[in-house]
Amino acid sequence: MSLKRSLFLLFFLLMQSIGAIAQSDIDFWFAAPDLQQSHGDRPIYLRIATSKSPAEVRISIPANPSFAPIVLNIPADTAISVNLSG
């Protein structure tokens, strides 16, 4: 077996043994456009997807105490859209 082929095989086997690393967290922060500005005609959607486990998602606006938090129970392997415009 040639050296080039041996190195390729070794590299391939090493890559197979390394697991994929993806983001998995419980806290996410984002800022939607201000609806009082010129963006008021466009809906704001929050897209949420789960992986192998179900998730309880809580959507809140800490700076706005009058906003009632939205709590969603999303099954495993599911994607949903939440309209935050109104």
Side-chain angles (χ1 to χ4, degrees):
M1 191 182 283
S2 71
L3 178 61
K4 201 180 230 185
R5 192 171 185 182
S6 297
L7 288 175
F8 176 76
L9 182 60
L10 178 62
F11 177 74
F12 181 76
L13 290 174
L14 284 174
M15 293 309 291
Q16 293 297 318
S17 67
I18 299 173
I21 299 172
Q23 181 178 0
S24 179
D25 204 347
I26 59 171
D27 288 327
F28 297 95
W29 294 82
F30 78 100
D34 185 1
L35 291 178
Q36 304 303 320
Q37 301 296 325
S38 63
H39 303 290
D41 61 338
R42 296 182 189 167
I44 298 171
Y45 286 98
L46 186 61
R47 313 281 188 193
I48 304 169
T50 60
S51 186
K52 295 178 183 176
S53 301
E56 180 180 280
V57 176
R58 178 182 168 94
I59 302 169
S60 64
I61 303 175
N64 182 0
S66 66
F67 180 83
I70 301 169
V71 179
L72 305 167
N73 288 302
I74 307 171
D77 297 318
T78 304
I80 66 165
S81 297
V82 180
N83 187 345
L84 298 178
S85 302

